[in-house]
Amino acid sequence: MTEKKKEIELIMFDLGNVIFNFDHMITCNKLSEYSKKDSAYIYNFIFKSSLIKSYDRGKISSSELFSTISDELDLHISFKEFNLAWSEIFWLNNGIDLLISWAKTQAKIAILSNTDEMHFNYIRDKFEIISEFDFIFLSYEIGYSKPESEIFEYAINKTGISADKIIFIDDIQEFVDAANKSGINGIWYKNISTLKKDLEAYLKTNVI
């Protein structure tokens, strides 16, 4: 007896390390050119502290982030220069564009990501693939971030699609587990080929 296809109405993708690869050290190396602090210090100050979490959740503005970092690193650059150093760190994951195009033929598609205003504005303007999505859920706009249950509940409520008919793809196991706790079908992203197999298992159809 053929196994019945699972009814999936929405496939949600994380941004970082799923749709796009990125490297925060690009930012740190660029800022170190304008500071007496080295890249390692800058990385720890920004990305290993509560600062980035506050920015990702929209608790501080882009100008406030710029001011805080400029003061700490004694930067003498414009906000425009800082924005470019902050944002020019992304490149499209090889093969994900075709998979997203295929996913759009199977269900509605969405982005659900912990990200900030400058990063998202940059990728929205630079990468046309963002316009393909039916829904976009961003931590800095919602005020919650993964793995908080509120960000998943927000997506469920806004789409009007029940959790058991949603797939969420993320490269961080903790976030996949959080999605599962909200009733969403979580897939832990490892690479494109494994993701195709995982989607085939859910949808009972061949991925491109």
Side-chain angles (χ1 to χ4, degrees), residues 104-126:
K104 197 172 176 67
T105 68
Q106 302 296 309
K108 291 186 180 298
I109 58 174
I111 290 167
L112 189 150
S113 180
N114 289 355
T115 192
D116 63 65
E117 180 183 41
M118 285 190 286
H119 279 168
F120 187 72
N121 286 346
Y122 174 81
I123 63 172
R124 181 196 58 208
D125 293 343
K126 183 175 177 62

Side-chain angles (χ1 to χ4, degrees), residues 8-189:
I8 295 296
E9 296 182 11
L10 179 67
I11 302 174
M12 291 197 300
F13 296 80
D14 177 36
L15 281 174
N17 289 327
V18 176
I19 300 176
F20 299 102
N21 295 314
F22 69 95
D23 184 359
H24 283 314
M25 284 307 298
I26 295 173
T27 292
C28 298
N29 290 335
K30 286 181 180 178
L31 293 181
S32 70
E33 296 174 7
Y34 303 102
S35 173
K36 294 180 181 179
K37 305 292 187 181
D38 62 24
S39 299
Y41 179 92
I42 295 171
Y43 182 86
N44 287 328
F45 174 71
I46 299 174
F47 299 108
K48 291 293 185 181
S49 71
S50 61
L51 182 62
I52 191 63
K53 293 178 182 177
S54 295
Y55 187 43
D56 276 354
R57 295 174 75 221
K59 303 305 179 186
I60 61 173
S61 67
S62 297
S63 59
E64 287 171 329
L65 179 81
F66 172 54
S67 178
T68 299
I69 292 175
S70 294
D71 288 347
E72 176 67 23
L73 304 184
D74 193 25
L75 298 179
H76 298 282
I77 59 175
S78 67
F79 177 77
K80 182 178 180 179
E81 290 171 314
F82 176 79
N83 195 344
L84 289 174
W86 184 263
S87 302
E88 290 183 331
I89 65 169
F90 298 97
W91 62 99
L92 195 64
N93 188 358
N94 188 33
I96 196 66
D97 52 343
L98 293 177
L99 192 146
I100 288 170
S101 294
W102 172 86
K104 197 172 176 67
T105 68
Q106 302 296 309
K108 291 186 180 298
I109 58 174
I111 290 167
L112 189 150
S113 180
N114 289 355
T115 192
D116 63 65
E117 180 183 41
M118 285 190 286
H119 279 168
F120 187 72
N121 286 346
Y122 174 81
I123 63 172
R124 181 196 58 208
D125 293 343
K126 183 175 177 62
F127 299 99
E128 292 182 4
I129 197 169
I130 298 300
S131 65
E132 295 294 315
F133 289 88
D134 299 293
F135 304 98
I136 297 177
F137 304 114
L138 309 172
S139 60
Y140 81 90
E141 292 183 334
I142 297 168
Y144 294 99
S145 58
K146 299 173 291 185
E148 294 173 297
S149 62
E150 288 88 349
I151 195 169
F152 297 104
E153 292 165 5
Y154 183 94
I156 293 166
N157 291 334
K158 283 294 183 179
T159 61
I161 297 172
S162 61
D164 64 321
K165 295 182 179 181
I166 300 173
I167 290 174
F168 174 60
I169 302 158
D170 201 293
D171 64 303
I172 298 177
Q173 181 71 64
E174 180 187 7
F175 298 166
V176 173
D177 293 342
N180 288 335
K181 288 179 181 178
S182 294
I184 293 171
N185 304 286
I187 293 178
W188 182 23
Y189 177 84

